Amino acid sequence: MSAEPIPTPPGPWCPDPIRQQRADYTLEDLPHLPDDAPRVELVDGVLRVTPSPTLGHQDISLFLARWFLQHTPEHLRVTQAVGVALDAKNTRQPDVLLRRADVRADRSLLQPEDVVLAVEVVSPGTRRIDRFAKPAEYAAAGIPFYWRIEQDPVHVYAYRLSDRLSLGGERQYELVADSAELIALAEPFEIKLPVAELTG
């Protein structure tokens, strides 16, 4: 008499491979992901797991969020690890963002009009996405300001949405400040950020 097979626990959640191949995931699917689903972004209808950040990346994100908490005016709020719905088949999760203070606290997905500034901290595995893909997507969605923070050494590049369109007719950002020492800006509010404060 053979023993009953031991049931194996289900493995970790992963996206449906057929839907991934068809690239037909949409914003409507995101609220229905299981609790054990990893952190994902929706890119052209495909669910992409975001890589685990390094300690250095997280330190910079945390120090910047803390600086914003201390200096941001009342009409804005700092937020981390919340998705932004760029369109029906695309979301991104900026490392740090500033949003309008009147956005309801029970929201788990922001609209582009809720976001004033999106910030990405560049890691070795995200260089091309953070330097090229994300700023193009954020600009196309109409997010007014974008910051890119490079590591080793830490250097901040601050952009604002330009009134001029690219040769292809797309909205684009223009560089307004970059420094490894001090970022001084008048928008989206009066900012004097010593870059050294992002490293502790």
Side-chain angles (χ1 to χ4, degrees), residues 4-199:
E4 289 289 325
I6 299 172
T8 56
W13 176 88
C14 63
D16 181 325
I18 295 173
R19 294 197 66 188
Q20 288 283 83
Q21 191 173 31
R22 289 194 316 235
D24 71 353
Y25 277 103
T26 68
L27 292 179
E28 294 178 3
D29 295 305
L30 297 182
H32 305 293
L33 296 181
D35 292 340
D36 66 343
R39 182 180 172 199
V40 297
E41 292 178 327
L42 181 62
V43 181
D44 295 328
V46 174
L47 292 175
R48 298 233 172 118
V49 176
T50 57
S52 296
T54 63
L55 291 174
H57 175 286
Q58 292 301 81
D59 284 348
I60 292 170
S61 296
L62 182 62
F63 289 134
L64 178 62
R66 184 178 67 184
W67 191 91
F68 277 141
L69 279 170
Q70 295 169 349
H71 296 89
T72 300
E74 290 185 2
H75 69 282
L76 297 174
R77 293 283 185 275
V78 62
T79 302
Q80 290 182 279
V82 173
V84 180
L86 301 178
D87 58 43
K89 290 193 136 191
N90 289 279
T91 68
R92 291 293 189 183
Q93 291 189 16
D95 294 315
V96 179
L97 63 81
L98 292 181
R99 61 173 172 83
R100 295 190 344 260
D102 60 357
V103 177
R104 291 194 334 264
D106 63 350
R107 296 265 301 280
S108 60
L109 193 63
L110 298 172
Q111 297 299 315
E113 59 267 24
D114 301 326
V115 181
V116 174
L117 166 67
V119 182
E120 297 290 351
V121 179
V122 179
S123 294
T126 65
R127 285 191 186 107
R128 289 185 58 79
I129 293 171
D130 293 339
R131 292 174 182 167
F132 302 105
K134 287 186 178 181
E137 293 166 1
Y138 293 152
I143 294 173
F145 300 95
Y146 173 69
W147 288 11
R148 187 182 88 240
I149 303 179
E150 299 282 345
Q151 301 186 62
D152 197 27
V154 175
H155 196 110
V156 179
Y157 295 84
Y159 301 84
R160 76 170 169 216
L161 206 53
S162 174
D163 294 330
R164 297 185 307 273
L165 300 179
S166 71
L167 293 176
E170 296 93 8
R171 301 185 79 177
Q172 61 185 351
Y173 288 115
E174 60 184 354
L175 183 67
V176 291
D178 78 278
S179 180
E181 297 175 2
L182 178 72
I183 291 294
L185 297 165
E187 299 177 291
F189 63 94
E190 192 76 31
I191 292 174
K192 284 188 172 55
L193 168 64
V195 177
E197 291 195 15
L198 301 183
T199 58

